[in-house]
């Protein structure tokens, strides 16, 4: 079974690594190996990062995980990330949640039958983090993409939590633009997760005719994700006409990038962010989630809830625990 644990902030991430992955505790820094895999054409206005910032992190070099006998043998030569047998996983990397991201990567490799067939796409807004990944996972197949915060900063509205205003939270909106056209499908995971089952099972989820798949929660009060102004203005609620919209978790998604590109979903999401900024009153409060709901709610291929055990971590500190999923789970998380 696969579990993904969503961890909230530094404390939760550190605790999970200590409990579940003691071998990821800090050790003397491994030699930083500069990655040559960052595409120069997406390094737009990359900020200069202080060495002191990265020196506070050090991770023990992980064991090398090998494919089982029944896995197809891979040699990433000219095909690189375009090999059709690869499982593609996209995760953001930033200093604040770096420990969680490292734990997530390790958990995916540890529980995969064919770990050498998993290709990671890391989205960053600060340089240098790729060297930490390479020193921790020397055999990892990955590529790093610089996401320019200025691309989305003017579209971001203030939120109920400052953490939700960080530009990197919106990088998933641009996966279809950032990843190579040959990458036709990707699993997007938040950086506060731990996976405890074979990621290929999630990869093979059928999307049918839908563009994305995600865990849906139709018992949730969908109206609370938008303001009274949204529901009172006759222009807006009609967007859900003909749909049965449900809340879904954008921290665990399977995305058909071919359909996304063809139907222009990035621009559709941006359009709702523009409406939020230009309307006389706000139409939503919760960061990057509501634009996804506006575009996709009611058009989502449902993924089993076992892939998203949320309600753990920081929520418990404030006494706002959610009900746990009462069945075998494959992914644990906070959100």
């Amino acid at each position: 079974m696969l579990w993904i644990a969503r961890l909230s902030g530094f404390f939760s991430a550190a605790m999970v690594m200590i409990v579940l992955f003691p071998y990821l505790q800090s050790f003397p820094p491994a030699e930083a190996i500069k990655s040559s895999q960052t595409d120069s054409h997406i390094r737009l206005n990359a900020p200069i990062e202080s060495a002191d910032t990265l020196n506070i992190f050090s991770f023990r070099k992980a064991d090398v995980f090998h494919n089982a006998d029944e896995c197809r043998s891979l040699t990433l030569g000219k095909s690189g990330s375009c090999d059709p047998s690869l499982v593609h996983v996209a995760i953001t990397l930033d200093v604040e949640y770096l420990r969680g991201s490292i734990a997530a990567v390790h958990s995916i490799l540890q529980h995969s039958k064919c770990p050498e067939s998993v290709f990671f796409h890391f989205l960053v807004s600060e340089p240098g983090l790729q060297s930490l990944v390479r020193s921790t996972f020397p055999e990892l197949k990955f590529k790093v993409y610089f996401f320019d915060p200025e691309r989305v900063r003017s579209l971001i509205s203030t939120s109920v939590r400052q953490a939700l205003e960080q530009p990197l939270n919106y990088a998933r909106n641009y996966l279809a633009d950032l990843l190579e056209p040959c990458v036709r499908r990707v699993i997007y995971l938040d950086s506060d997760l731990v996976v405890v089952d074979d990621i290929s099972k999630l990869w093979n989820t059928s999307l049918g005719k839908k563009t994305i798949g995600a865990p849906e929660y139709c018992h949730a009060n969908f109206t609370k994700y938008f303001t009274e102004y949204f529901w009172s203005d006759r222009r807006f609620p009609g967007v859900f006409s003909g749909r049965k919209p449900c809340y879904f978790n954008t921290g665990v998604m399977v995305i058909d990038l071919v359909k996304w590109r063809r139907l222009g979903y990035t621009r559709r999401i941006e359009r709702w962010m523009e409406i939020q900024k230009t309307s006389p009153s706000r139409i939503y409060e919760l960061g990057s989630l509501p634009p996804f709901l506006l575009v996709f709610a009611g058009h989502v291929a449902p993924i089993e809830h076992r892939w998203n055990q949320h309600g753990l971590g920081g929520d418990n500190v404030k006494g706002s625990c959610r009900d746990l999923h009462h069945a075998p789970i494959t992914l644990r998380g906070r959100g």
Side-chain angles (χ1 to χ4, degrees):
M1 305 173 194
L2 168 64
W3 300 48
I4 297 181
R6 289 180 178 280
L7 317 172
S8 178
F10 170 89
F11 179 76
S12 298
M15 286 300 295
V16 167
M17 285 193 294
I18 291 172
V19 174
L20 299 181
F21 305 107
Y23 34 79
L24 286 185
Q25 297 177 42
S26 294
F27 281 77
E31 180 181 359
I33 304 174
K34 182 173 178 59
S35 171
S36 61
Q37 302 193 27
T38 303
D39 282 357
S40 59
H41 70 279
I42 52 176
R43 282 177 158 275
L44 304 176
N45 303 318
I48 302 300
E49 185 171 24
S50 139
D52 292 339
T53 302
L54 295 180
N55 284 342
I56 65 173
F57 296 103
S58 59
F59 302 97
R60 182 177 179 179
K61 185 168 68 173
D63 294 334
V64 176
F65 296 96
H66 296 290
N67 284 355
D69 292 340
E70 61 266 37
C71 299
R72 174 183 168 186
S73 178
L74 284 175
T75 54
L76 287 187
K78 294 183 179 179
S79 60
S81 61
C82 294
D83 189 310
S85 66
L86 290 170
V87 171
H88 296 276
V89 178
I91 300 178
T92 59
L93 287 181
D94 68 347
V95 170
E96 184 174 359
Y97 292 101
L98 184 60
R99 292 176 174 88
S101 299
I102 294 294
V105 171
H106 190 277
S107 67
I108 292 170
L109 297 173
Q110 184 180 35
H111 294 94
S112 293
K113 181 181 292 185
C114 306
E116 295 176 84
S117 301
V118 182
F119 194 100
F120 290 88
H121 303 265
F122 295 118
L123 312 178
V124 306
S125 58
E126 50 200 337
L129 295 176
Q130 64 268 22
S131 62
L132 283 173
V133 175
R134 178 57 71 200
S135 62
T136 306
F137 304 103
E139 303 298 320
L140 192 70
K141 296 178 175 68
F142 74 93
K143 189 168 186 176
V144 174
Y145 306 80
F146 179 77
F147 177 71
D148 185 1
E150 298 307 317
R151 183 169 185 175
V152 73
R153 196 183 303 278
S154 64
L155 296 175
I156 297 176
S157 302
T158 55
S159 183
V160 293
R161 285 191 295 149
Q162 188 174 5
L164 299 178
E165 301 171 22
Q166 299 305 311
L168 199 58
N169 290 339
Y170 296 82
R172 59 190 171 194
N173 301 356
Y174 299 91
L175 282 169
D177 298 334
L178 292 171
L179 273 57
E180 293 84 347
C182 65
V183 179
R184 303 173 61 85
R185 170 182 281 221
V186 69
I187 296 171
Y188 172 80
L189 299 177
D190 275 350
S191 57
D192 55 355
L193 305 174
V194 170
V195 179
V196 295
D197 198 359
D198 191 342
I199 195 72
S200 67
K201 297 177 183 178
L202 179 59
W203 173 258
N204 290 322
T205 298
S206 173
L207 300 183
K209 296 182 179 180
K210 303 295 195 299
T211 302
I212 69 170
E216 285 189 303
Y217 299 89
C218 294
H219 62 278
N221 181 2
F222 188 78
T223 61
K224 73 177 184 179
Y225 293 98
F226 303 96
T227 63
E228 291 185 9
Y229 173 75
F230 174 90
W231 295 112
S232 64
D233 191 307
R234 289 181 297 177
R235 297 172 299 166
F236 299 137
V239 69
F240 298 117
S241 177
R243 301 198 236 169
K244 294 182 179 179
C246 296
Y247 160 74
F248 63 91
N249 192 321
T250 56
V252 181
M253 294 189 291
V254 180
I255 304 173
D256 184 329
L257 294 175
V258 175
K259 290 181 180 177
W260 184 296
R261 292 170 181 132
R262 185 175 73 245
L263 298 174
Y265 282 116
T266 295
R267 182 57 193 143
R268 297 191 195 188
I269 292 172
E270 286 180 333
R271 179 57 185 149
W272 279 111
M273 295 173 69
E274 291 169 353
I275 291 173
Q276 160 84 333
K277 294 284 285 189
T278 58
S279 291
S281 296
R282 302 171 63 94
I283 62 174
Y284 58 80
E285 302 288 352
L286 285 173
S288 62
L289 171 62
F292 256 88
L293 296 179
L294 286 161
V295 172
F296 289 110
H299 295 313
V300 174
I303 288 177
E304 294 177 84
H305 288 182
R306 69 191 183 97
W307 288 98
N308 185 54
Q309 175 59 79
H310 61 194
L312 304 178
D315 287 349
N316 301 353
V317 175
K318 296 184 178 180
S320 56
C321 305
R322 303 180 185 180
D323 293 335
L324 300 182
H325 175 60
H326 299 294
I329 62 175
T330 54
L331 186 154
R332 301 190 312 177
R334 171 189 59 80

